Amino acid sequence: MILLQSQSRFLFHTLLNRIQNLDKSVELDHHWVEFDDVRYHIQVSIKNPHILLLSVSLPTPSSETIFIRGLPFGAIEAIKAAYGGLVQILDPPRDAFNLTLKINLSKLPANQEQKHDFLGKVASIREVVLGAPLRVILKHLAFRTVAPNVDPLVALVHRPKESFFVVPQADKVTVVYPMRFSDSIDIVLATSFLQEFVEARRTAGLNNTPHCSWSHTPPLELKGVSADALSANAGFVTFVIFPRHVEGQKLDRTVWSLSTFHAYVSYHVKCSEGFMHTRMRRRVESLIQALDRAKPDLEDAKKKTSRNRSFKRLSLKDSRGNSFS
């Protein structure tokens, strides 16, 4: 299985190309969407080529999700911790965006390795912002405590008007995903994929991974949640995260994997669908080739049949009985 990367490759290469051509007055104005839910806009004006504006539009939150000034809780603190004084948060953000960052490219570190690391962090802005609430909860789990001012059941946005749910406790954190897909084929493939995904957890060598389960009905942790939030057509996936899963450098990987789980499943569902279509096309092509090879044999058989066929000569007679030769 393929793991998704936290960095936006397009954003990273755009920033890197801009850094390498900082002395050139080139205007940039790019829009793009990733994971079908997060929209980006990067802009550099000719008048001030050293100033780059990066705007991010997050998925529309559901009614269960709480956004503070257009961002998940803990996002502002996470941005300051990740980028320090090299990034300025514009308030208010640009129109139709949840966040706008102002980056002075001339103030980046002179060391190439440090510069690349910083650009990689900027390219991971999705993880920093959307993963901020989960990071706060899992950081406290590492110390076996519960984050203050956090509800017993937390709804976090991961798709437009769709949420997954987190149950924070001192000794473990339970994460539940209602899995929804719009296409009927995707529903069937996702259901099969998730069942196999849970079964793979039982194989040797995966004993230290988080406990994972799948069910048709909502787990007990979601008791009291509205029916609209539980309208899942591909079942419910539950992960149980323990302190050992968030120790040290494991925290970043765990936050990213959990915050993009639905995108991870969607990616593999589309890959499976594409693989099956490829096999079907190859099968059709092989059948057509077999039919093409059979055509000459049929023509030869027709010729042989026509040669061996005998015809009787008919004698025609008129009304008086005289025959025509």
Side-chain angles (χ1 to χ4, degrees):
M1 294 184 181
I2 300 175
L3 295 177
L4 304 178
Q5 299 297 318
S6 62
Q7 293 183 5
S8 168
R9 295 186 63 184
F10 182 82
L11 177 55
F12 178 79
H13 288 293
T14 302
L15 294 172
L16 185 61
N17 182 66
R18 184 66 209 134
I19 290 295
Q20 294 172 347
N21 300 278
L22 197 58
D23 55 335
K24 300 180 181 179
S25 297
V26 179
E27 184 178 6
L28 292 181
D29 192 0
H30 297 317
H31 292 263
W32 74 99
V33 178
E34 290 187 346
F35 295 105
D36 198 28
D37 52 17
V38 177
R39 184 165 57 94
Y40 298 87
H41 179 214
I42 189 171
Q43 188 174 28
V44 176
S45 65
I46 298 179
K47 296 181 180 179
N48 201 346
H50 290 206
I51 301 299
L52 182 143
L53 296 180
L54 173 62
S55 299
V56 181
S57 177
L58 303 178
T60 305
S62 60
S63 58
E64 298 82 15
T65 308
I66 298 176
F67 269 28
I68 302 174
R69 299 174 67 180
L71 296 172
F73 72 86
I76 298 296
E77 293 76 9
I79 293 171
K80 293 179 179 178
Y83 308 123
L86 296 175
V87 169
Q88 178 184 353
I89 302 175
L90 297 186
D91 189 17
R94 308 197 71 174
D95 293 341
F97 289 94
N98 298 82
L99 174 69
T100 299
L101 302 179
K102 181 180 180 182
I103 307 173
N104 192 336
L105 301 178
S106 61
K107 293 183 178 181
L108 297 186
N111 183 278
Q112 290 297 323
E113 185 176 352
Q114 294 179 353
K115 188 179 296 184
H116 276 236
D117 290 343
F118 176 77
L119 296 181
K121 290 181 180 179
V122 175
S124 302
I125 184 64
R126 184 188 195 279
E127 176 188 6
V128 173
V129 176
L130 285 181
L134 193 57
R135 183 180 299 274
V136 171
I137 295 173
L138 295 181
K139 270 187 176 181
H140 282 80
L141 174 64
F143 296 99
R144 290 173 171 79
T145 60
V146 178
N149 302 323
V150 173
D151 296 333
L153 181 63
V154 182
L156 302 179
V157 64
H158 66 148
R159 287 173 56 79
K161 296 184 179 180
E162 294 183 13
S163 302
F164 67 100
F165 299 89
V166 180
V167 182
Q169 295 176 316
D171 58 341
K172 65 179 180 180
V173 170
T174 304
V175 185
V176 183
Y177 298 88
M179 303 301 294
R180 304 179 184 89
F181 294 88
S182 57
D183 187 78
S184 58
I185 297 178
D186 290 352
I187 294 173
V188 175
L189 292 177
T191 302
S192 178
F193 175 84
L194 292 171
Q195 291 174 348
E196 292 296 327
F197 184 86
V198 172
E199 288 296 324
R201 165 67 176 73
R202 303 175 183 178
T203 59
L206 297 178
N207 296 328
N208 293 327
T209 58
H211 174 75
C212 179
S213 61
W214 177 90
S215 62
H216 276 294
T217 58
L220 296 177
E221 288 84 357
L222 300 186
K223 185 178 181 180
V225 178
S226 64
D228 292 339
L230 301 180
S231 59
N233 51 26
F236 297 81
V237 180
T238 303
F239 289 98
V240 181
I241 311 299
F242 293 102
R244 68 175 184 271
H245 299 133
V246 293
E247 294 174 348
Q249 297 180 351
K250 295 180 182 179
L251 176 63
D252 292 337
R253 183 74 262 176
T254 302
V255 170
W256 172 250
S257 299
L258 292 175
S259 59
T260 58
F261 179 72
H262 195 287
Y264 168 84
V265 175
S266 299
Y267 176 82
H268 285 85
V269 165
K270 292 302 180 183
C271 287
S272 300
E273 189 174 351
F275 176 73
M276 286 190 294
H277 287 170
T278 301
R279 290 194 61 183
M280 291 169 62
R281 285 193 292 268
R282 290 177 179 174
R283 180 61 177 166
V284 170
E285 290 174 358
S286 65
L287 291 175
I288 292 175
Q289 291 175 359
L291 291 174
D292 291 338
R293 289 193 298 266
K295 284 181 179 179
D297 298 335
L298 293 175
E299 293 177 357
D300 292 342
K302 289 180 179 179
K303 291 179 180 178
K304 292 180 180 178
T305 304
S306 62
R307 292 196 192 103
N308 297 331
R309 187 177 299 164
S310 60
F311 298 93
K312 291 182 68 177
R313 185 175 180 181
L314 299 177
S315 60
L316 300 178
K317 297 182 179 181
D318 58 8
S319 59
R320 298 179 180 180
N322 298 323
S323 59
F324 296 93
S325 55

